[in-house]
Amino acid sequence: MKPVRCRYCPRRLSTPESQARGYGLICGRKNGLIPPTTPRHSRQPAPVTAVTTPDVHPGQTAIPIQPELPKEN
């Protein structure tokens, strides 16, 4: 059997699927002919708990900053 080469680069195609397509996996992804793989399992985001202190109310989104007063000698 004659070695089949990729139509976009000089690589040899080894799998029957890539030989039927005429280009390899790398060139197919690089040229946008093969979509990128998707992860099998997406990680669930870690649960975030709201921190409430006596100075911060549950609906408050910012902490007011007080300017520093000059020290008295």
Side-chain angles (χ1 to χ4, degrees):
M1 186 168 126
K2 183 180 175 187
V4 180
R5 296 197 181 267
C6 177
R7 69 173 71 151
Y8 299 107
C9 70
R11 290 190 187 115
R12 285 186 176 173
L13 303 176
S14 56
T15 62
E17 182 182 357
S18 62
Q19 290 174 0
R21 279 194 312 249
Y23 50 86
L25 186 65
I26 295 171
C27 290
R29 286 206 179 120
K30 186 170 36 173
N31 295 325
L33 303 169
I34 300 173
T37 59
T38 56
R40 291 181 182 221
H41 302 289
S42 62
R43 289 186 156 211
Q44 296 295 328
V48 177
T49 57
V51 177
T52 57
T53 62
D55 296 340
V56 179
H57 302 290
Q60 188 175 353
T61 58
I63 298 173
I65 299 174
Q66 295 178 350
E68 291 185 20
L69 300 174
K71 293 182 181 178
E72 294 181 19
N73 290 341

